Amino acid sequence: MFRLLLSFIFITSCSLKPSPNEEPCDVAYDPNFEETIFPLVSDCGSCHEFGATGSATKFMDGSGAEDAFAGISKLIGDGKVEALRKKPTGLVSHGGGTLITSDDAGTWDQFLDGLSSQQTACLNASDIQDREDPLARSTPYDSSSSESCQTTFEKFDLVSGILENCVSCHGGSGQGALGFGVFEIGGNESSVYKKLLKFVDLKDNGIDLLQMKPVGGLSHSGGAVLSEKSTEYQAWLALTNELESPVLSCSKEVSEPIDEPFEIHARCDSFDPIEGGYKRLTAYEYRKTLAYLTAIPDFESITLADLPSDPKEKGFATISGIYTMTDSHLSVVFDNAELIADAMLSTTSALPNLCKSSNIGFCVEEFISNFGERAFRRALAEEERASLLSIYQNYDHQNGLKAIMISILVSPSFLYKSEIGHGENGTYELSDREIADQLSFMTLGHPAEGELLTAAASGKLRDPVYRVFYLKQLMASDGFALKGEEYVSSLLDVSSISTTGKDPLHYPSFQSLKPKFANEIKAFGRHLFSNDVALGDILASNYSFVDHELASFYDMNGDNFEKAIYPASSGRSGLVTQGAFSSVHGHVDSSAPILRGATLVKQVLCKNLPEPPNDIPPISAIDATGLTGREIVELHSSNEACASCHTMIDPLGFSLEGFDGIGAKRLIDNGSIVDTEVSMILDGTDLSFRDAKDMGSNLAKSKEFNFCMHEQALRFGLGVSPKHGENQCFLADIWSNKAETLSMQDILIKIVQSDYFITRRK
């Protein structure tokens, strides 16, 4: 009931215009339509009169049978015939049961089949055979060419028609400007290329979103963006596939030393701030913001559905500019909004129940203002107030308040953070409120409140001295310590420990230890952030946080998840020898040196690793009889095609072979003594490690680890990606060569002091 009335708040039309080279088929109007078919779809007006989504049309707004016929015809031409047979199941999807179950079902199906046949015949007849084939031009895409690393915009002249279609949604004030950003075709072509590069990794069921139609609201998950038979579509496929290749073909050899920050600075001959716009709340921020907004004392007792996983880069949610929200995402948002609204109405201290005035109308308007402004992080426009009040008036008082809350909690103004400032073009500064929110989201995961909002209102946060002052206050809070849990879990990619499984025959104690491993990681993260501890401790600490059972497993003393020192003989060092890391990055019945080594290369050294070649036999094909895990991997990596990556992956993984698939210390593997001695190149220098402890100590001191921690801080704190060379100047600006003593608090202070923190570009 609520969804039907409220869905129009979120949905806006974002359909592609016809390609200039491919006009839609015009099927002649059936004069019997008004009498026989039009009455069957009269209920569609409850949704489609408000405005339609994706390729749907606003065809039920009283404009008549002929427009409705044209709208349905267009839907069929866009491949939506099966959706037209089914009931709507949410915001933008028709995937329920049979739409028409009366005696008229056969009439409806016959009508759809006939119209579909006409559309198919029309498209086949209009399929153009004599166009110039863009893929056969004299300058084809050549991923092997040295120019494949030149991220130029020249290739886009082949597919300019498709880009022009995108402008209908992503240009000017179109809904697609939310998150992805505004772009126009023409004078700003290079920025379009950069934007598209940022989206090459986005997929839905393995298909690039850049190759798919928008289907409503803020989602691209429809069919092919153009007719799959057209040469333009083939050119677009080639281009979007090509966009992925520079990422790998231009990356350095994984063992090559990194650029010094001053070398990057030398290339930053102008101030190039990070891109602004709208950024969707991460799953973590979404939950934290709901808790902050509702102020329900036992908020954690509400069983909220989990949002779909955020797009991640090197473990962290970097969703700057990513606007995609699938049907499943929106469905979860609606479900959670209803749960939250019910919980607030049943909580005496919650906002809807605090108004003491006998004037109910005044109370409702007051609630709209207070709750709406907290949720939207800005003042409400008069039109928004009027719209919410009008929704309330469709129900009794209690359900009216519920409808208001659901409307607000599914609104893009709640689900997206604003970084639009007041600039019209080019470079601009964030608003005072946006600066305050950025500080709070970075440290606590929810919007600004209290003194921070007062400081924003006075304009103080434009001064870096005040920004650091309030940052230090935030970093002294319990909320910042909790962000430490999220950081460590993301950095080492161990958030899946609770769902990790092991063979009970090999690891009978794992099920009882698993929750202990999770608590250990969380305790370490809180300690790391709240005590301003050096990030090098992630790799080189001689302590952990254990209870009695975990202490026994590690052969050490400790309890109550308090800080405890490893015995000198334990060989343990940092989080990478703990049970969570060993388990998540281990096989169900053994250790996994390749998984462990690759995780360290990507997560704590920030190296890019390409996908392994397709023609390499799987490691399972090796006869493992009598071999240790290390010996099996060495045989696998001896293939010449594997060498460039495995020269760094394998040594890091082998150094951890003293710990089995759940992190128990071992000396023997498959009847042979475990060999943990390795050598590798780090910072351009040949190094040798005796074991995990030696490896952790050396990595923690390295320039590569130090620089990576700055990269990861940008991803973690601001959702900013240094990928593809973007934001390298920001990265260089915050560089602090403190090596072993560098803490997250040190890096965040540098970030907040920088002009990049408050500046954005269109």
Side-chain angles (χ1 to χ4, degrees):
M1 179 181 178
F2 285 107
R3 295 190 184 207
L4 187 59
L5 181 64
L6 302 177
S7 62
F8 75 93
I9 292 172
F10 195 95
I11 300 173
T12 55
S13 181
C14 205
S15 59
L16 288 174
K17 297 185 298 186
S19 164
N21 294 321
E22 187 176 8
E23 292 298 323
C25 282
D26 245 350
V27 177
Y29 176 64
D30 181 352
N32 295 319
F33 176 80
E34 184 169 8
E35 182 179 348
T36 59
I37 304 299
F38 192 49
L40 301 181
V41 292
S42 58
D43 288 344
C44 299
S46 61
C47 177
H48 289 277
E49 69 178 346
F50 289 122
T53 63
S55 57
T57 317
K58 186 177 176 180
F59 62 82
M60 295 302 298
D61 58 353
S63 52
E66 291 193 29
D67 284 339
F69 180 88
I72 295 172
S73 178
K74 181 179 184 301
L75 286 172
I76 291 175
D78 287 340
K80 305 294 184 183
V81 65
E82 292 309 314
L84 285 167
R85 301 185 198 275
K86 297 179 180 179
K87 293 179 180 178
T89 54
L91 279 176
V92 294
S93 172
H94 277 240
T98 304
L99 178 66
I100 298 175
T101 55
S102 67
D103 293 339
D104 296 311
T107 303
W108 177 242
D109 283 338
Q110 187 176 3
F111 166 74
L112 292 179
D113 291 339
L115 203 54
S116 178
S117 297
Q118 291 182 65
Q119 279 285 357
T120 301
C122 175
L123 288 171
N124 288 340
S126 62
D127 196 19
I128 298 172
Q129 305 295 331
D130 56 352
R131 289 187 193 156
E132 176 188 12
D133 183 354
L135 301 181
R137 293 192 178 189
S138 57
T139 55
Y141 308 141
D142 182 4
S143 59
S144 64
S145 161
S146 61
E147 294 183 358
S148 64
C149 292
Q150 306 294 319
T151 52
T152 64
F153 200 73
E154 295 173 0
K155 299 168 184 175
F156 280 91
D157 66 328
L158 307 180
V159 289
S160 59
I162 297 176
L163 289 171
E164 286 170 2
N165 292 340
C166 301
V167 174
S168 64
C169 182
H170 291 280
S173 59
Q175 186 68 18
L178 181 63
F180 187 93
V182 177
F183 66 79
E184 303 290 350
I185 305 305
N188 200 22
E189 290 176 338
S190 61
S191 76
V192 183
Y193 193 98
K194 289 180 181 178
K195 289 178 190 293
L196 292 177
L197 272 175
K198 291 168 61 178
F199 285 78
V200 296
D201 296 328
L202 286 181
K203 299 181 187 297
D204 189 357
N205 291 323
I207 302 175
D208 292 340
L209 290 184
L210 284 174
Q211 298 172 2
M212 303 170 78
K213 288 180 181 177
V215 293
L218 305 173
S219 173
H220 273 241
S221 57
V225 71
L226 285 179
S227 168
E228 296 186 32
K229 298 179 181 179
S230 68
T231 50
E232 287 79 4
Y233 179 66
Q234 296 305 313
W236 182 250
L237 280 182
L239 174 61
T240 51
N241 290 332
E242 175 72 12
L243 284 173
E244 298 189 28
S245 61
V247 179
L248 299 181
S249 62
C250 298
S251 61
K252 299 180 178 184
E253 290 293 326
V254 290
S255 60
E256 185 178 340
I258 59 169
D259 286 343
E260 294 283 3
F262 66 82
E263 293 174 350
I264 297 174
H265 255 309
R267 299 196 294 269
C268 298
D269 53 1
S270 62
F271 184 67
D272 185 20
I274 61 179
E275 187 176 26
Y278 294 88
K279 299 179 181 179
R280 198 188 74 212
L281 296 176
T282 66
Y284 182 88
E285 291 169 342
Y286 172 71
R287 280 183 171 267
K288 288 291 183 182
T289 301
L290 284 175
Y292 144 87
L293 179 62
T294 58
I296 297 172
D298 56 345
F299 178 83
E300 292 303 323
S301 68
I302 303 173
T303 308
L304 296 178
D306 291 327
L307 292 176
S309 298
D310 293 318
K312 291 185 178 180
E313 181 181 302
K314 291 187 167 59
F316 294 96
T318 51
I319 60 175
S320 171
I322 293 177
Y323 64 96
T324 302
M325 293 184 107
T326 63
D327 289 356
S328 59
H329 197 136
L330 297 176
S331 180
V332 169
V333 167
F334 259 108
D335 289 342
N336 287 344
E338 291 194 63
L339 287 172
I340 292 293
D342 287 335
M344 289 186 71
L345 288 169
S346 62
T347 303
T348 306
S349 59
L351 204 54
N353 304 314
L354 293 182
C355 182
K356 305 302 182 185
S357 171
S358 59
N359 185 332
I360 292 180
F362 173 79
C363 282
V364 171
E365 291 185 23
E366 183 181 57
F367 172 64
I368 287 172
S369 293
N370 292 340
F371 188 68
E373 290 179 12
R374 279 170 59 82
F376 290 177
R377 305 174 286 280
R378 59 169 173 77
L380 269 64
E382 285 304 317
E383 296 82 2
E384 291 172 316
R385 295 177 195 274
S387 175
L388 290 167
L389 186 58
S390 117
I391 288 171
Y392 166 82
Q393 291 167 347
N394 284 284
Y395 303 94
D396 59 40
H397 177 65
Q398 195 82 346
N399 280 319
L401 289 175
K402 180 175 180 178
I404 289 171
M405 286 185 277
I406 293 174
S407 302
I408 288 172
L409 295 178
V410 302
S411 167
S413 293
F414 169 68
L415 297 170
Y416 285 78
K417 297 180 290 184
S418 161
E419 293 186 3
I420 59 174
H422 301 297
E424 294 297 323
N425 294 297
T427 298
Y428 61 91
E429 288 192 352
L430 299 177
S431 70
D432 295 305
R433 174 61 196 258
E434 287 170 342
I435 296 171
D437 281 335
Q438 185 167 249
L439 277 167
S440 188
F441 274 114
M442 182 173 73
T443 51
L444 306 179
H446 63 66
E449 56 185 335
E451 289 184 27
L452 191 57
L453 286 180
T454 303
S458 68
K460 288 181 178 179
L461 299 182
R462 299 200 174 278
D463 185 333
V465 174
Y466 277 105
R467 291 202 297 273
V468 171
F469 173 79
Y470 286 103
L471 172 67
K472 288 182 176 180
Q473 284 192 347
L474 294 168
M475 292 192 300
S477 70
D478 291 340
F480 183 65
L482 293 176
K483 283 281 278 187
E485 295 180 6
E486 184 206 12
Y487 173 78
V488 168
S489 180
S490 298
L491 180 71
L492 296 180
D493 197 16
V494 293
S495 57
S496 62
I497 179 61
S498 61
T499 57
T500 297
K502 296 290 176 179
D503 184 341
L505 295 178
H506 285 81
Y507 305 117
S509 63
F510 178 68
Q511 281 304 115
S512 65
L513 287 169
K514 184 163 61 172
K516 317 282 187 178
F517 293 154
N519 287 335
E520 179 185 23
I521 282 285
K522 291 177 180 179
F524 199 107
R526 293 193 298 271
H527 169 73
L528 194 71
F529 272 35
S530 61
N531 293 293
D532 198 20
V533 174
L535 292 173
D537 276 17
I538 292 168
L539 298 174
S541 69
N542 66 344
Y543 60 86
S544 188
F545 298 82
V546 297
D547 70 348
H548 181 72
E549 184 180 359
L550 201 51
S552 176
F553 178 73
Y554 289 155
D555 195 20
M556 62 191 294
N557 296 317
D559 204 357
N560 301 317
F561 288 101
E562 295 177 352
K563 186 176 180 180
I565 305 300
Y566 292 133
S569 60
S570 72
R572 297 188 185 273
S573 178
L575 280 73
V576 296
T577 58
Q578 290 180 359
F581 184 85
S582 299
S583 300
V584 172
H585 304 295
H587 297 308
V588 295
D589 57 358
S590 68
S591 66
I594 293 178
L595 292 179
R596 293 174 181 177
T599 300
L600 293 178
V601 169
K602 291 185 287 187
Q603 303 297 109
V604 303
L605 297 179
C606 292
K607 302 293 186 183
N608 292 327
L609 292 175
E611 292 296 318
N614 293 327
D615 56 351
I616 302 299
I619 198 167
S620 58
I622 296 173
D623 181 2
T625 306
L627 299 178
T628 65
R630 174 170 180 163
E631 290 168 339
I632 294 169
V633 171
E634 286 175 332
L635 282 174
H636 175 73
S637 303
S638 62
N639 190 305
E640 196 172 312
C642 303
S644 62
C645 292
H646 281 271
T647 51
M648 178 163 277
I649 293 173
D650 292 354
L652 297 179
F654 293 155
S655 71
L656 296 169
E657 277 293 88
F659 304 96
D660 68 13
I662 63 171
K665 187 176 179 181
R666 64 177 183 175
L667 299 175
I668 302 296
D669 178 22
N670 202 16
S672 298
I673 296 175
V674 172
D675 180 5
T676 59
E677 290 195 21
V678 296
S679 60
M680 64 180 292
I681 298 174
L682 191 66
D683 292 342
T685 303
D686 290 323
L687 295 176
S688 296
F689 308 141
R690 295 185 304 276
D691 53 21
K693 191 173 181 179
D694 199 18
M695 178 270 291
S697 174
N698 277 277
L699 245 61
K701 298 174 187 176
S702 72
K703 178 174 58 183
E704 308 228 9
F705 173 75
N706 190 337
F707 197 60
C708 182
M709 291 302 96
H710 287 81
E711 271 197 35
Q712 295 289 45
L714 284 182
R715 294 184 178 99
F716 166 73
L718 299 180
V720 168
S721 169
K723 192 177 178 183
H724 306 309
E726 295 173 354
N727 307 316
Q728 289 288 302
C729 295
F730 190 177
L731 188 61
D733 196 54
I734 66 171
W735 169 262
S736 176
N737 192 18
K738 298 178 69 173
E740 296 170 78
T741 63
L742 179 75
S743 71
M744 178 56 71
Q745 293 194 22
D746 291 332
I747 302 177
L748 293 185
I749 287 171
K750 294 284 286 184
I751 288 174
V752 164
Q753 287 175 327
S754 171
D755 287 340
Y756 286 94
F757 183 76
I758 65 168
T759 314
R760 296 292 183 271
R761 61 178 167 81
K762 292 288 187 184

